[in-house]
C-alpha cells in the first residue's frame, strides 16, 4: 500500500496527523502539510532522486525510514519542519543497488525543532557497521559507514 505524493502535489494531513500504518509506505517528491505519524512497520521512503518535504514527522517505536540510493551513492534527504523521535527503536532500512556502495549521507534535514524521547536506531542492510548520527548542530540525521583500515599499534 504505497502512497506516492508527486512533485508539485500537496497532501494535507488531518488535524491530529495522518497515521502511516503497518505495511503502508509514503514516498514521492511532494509536500505534506500537517503531521505524518509513522507507526510500527509503517514506512517513510526517500530515493536517489526524490524525497518528501514534511511540515512535521513523528516516529513511533518500530517506525521505518527506508533509504534508497543510486548505484553511485546518490540520494535525496527528507526535509522536515519538526521531527519527533520515540522512546524506542526507529528502523533504518538501507537499500543499496550494489554491496560496494557504502551508506553515508543525510537521511533527514529538519528546520524546526527536534524532540528526541530517547530513540535508538536499528540499521538494516548490507553493512553492519553503518550507524545513525543525530547532528543537532547541523539539524540533520545522517548515516555514516566507516571506510578504510584501522591499524592499532600496541
Amino acid at each position: 500500500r504505497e502512497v506516492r505524493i508527486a512533485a508539485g502535489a500537496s497532501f494535507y494531513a488531518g488535524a491530529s496527523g495522518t497515521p502511516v500504518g503497518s505495511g503502508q509506505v509514503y514516498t514521492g517528491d511532494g509536500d505534506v502539510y500537517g503531521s505524518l505519524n509513522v507507526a510500527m512497520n509503517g514506512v517513510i521512503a526517500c530515493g536517489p532522486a526524490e524525497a518528501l518535504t514534511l511540515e512535521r514527522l513523528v516516529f513511533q517505536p518500530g517506525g521505518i525510514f527506508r533509504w534508497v540510493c543510486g548505484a553511485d551513492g546518490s540520494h535525496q534527504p527528507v526535509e522536515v519542519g519538526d521531527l519527533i523521535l520515540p522512546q524506542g527503536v526507529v528502523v533504518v532500512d538501507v537499500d543499496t543497488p550494489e554491496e560496494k556502495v557504502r551508506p553515508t549521507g543525510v537521511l533527514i534535514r529538519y528546520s524546526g525543532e527536534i524532540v528526541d524521547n530517547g530513540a535508538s536506531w536499528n540499521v538494516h542492510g548490507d553493512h553492519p557497521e553503518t550507524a545513525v548520527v543525530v547532528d543537532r548542530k547541523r539539524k540533520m540525521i545522517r548515516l555514516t559507514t566507516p571506510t578504510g583500515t584501522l591499524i592499532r599499534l600496541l
Side-chain angles (χ1 to χ4, degrees), residues 37-58:
N37 303 323
V38 185
M40 180 176 282
N41 296 319
V43 179
I44 294 293
C46 66
E50 65 180 17
L52 294 170
T53 300
L54 301 106
E55 186 173 0
R56 185 170 194 226
L57 180 59
V58 178

Side-chain angles (χ1 to χ4, degrees), residues 16-88:
S16 61
T18 297
V20 180
S22 181
Q24 283 187 309
V25 179
Y26 274 70
T27 188
D29 208 20
D31 299 320
V32 176
Y33 295 97
S35 181
L36 276 187
N37 303 323
V38 185
M40 180 176 282
N41 296 319
V43 179
I44 294 293
C46 66
E50 65 180 17
L52 294 170
T53 300
L54 301 106
E55 186 173 0
R56 185 170 194 226
L57 180 59
V58 178
F59 280 100
Q60 300 299 323
I64 300 169
F65 187 96
R66 182 166 299 135
W67 185 82
V68 181
C69 73
D72 62 352
S74 62
H75 64 281
Q76 293 295 317
V78 168
E79 302 286 340
V80 175
D82 294 327
L83 178 62
I84 313 298
L85 301 173
Q87 180 179 3

Side-chain angles (χ1 to χ4, degrees), residues 58-138:
V58 178
F59 280 100
Q60 300 299 323
I64 300 169
F65 187 96
R66 182 166 299 135
W67 185 82
V68 181
C69 73
D72 62 352
S74 62
H75 64 281
Q76 293 295 317
V78 168
E79 302 286 340
V80 175
D82 294 327
L83 178 62
I84 313 298
L85 301 173
Q87 180 179 3
V89 174
V90 176
V91 176
V92 178
D93 181 20
V94 176
D95 185 0
T96 58
E98 298 181 29
E99 191 174 313
K100 68 180 181 180
V101 175
R102 293 252 188 234
T104 186
V106 179
L107 298 172
I108 301 170
R109 279 195 184 98
Y110 61 94
S111 58
E113 298 296 319
I114 183 172
V115 177
D116 187 346
N117 292 297
S120 58
W121 300 86
N122 187 348
V123 181
H124 295 182
D126 291 335
H127 300 282
E129 67 277 10
T130 299
V132 174
V133 176
V134 178
D135 186 341
R136 289 178 181 270
K137 184 175 181 177
R138 294 185 185 145

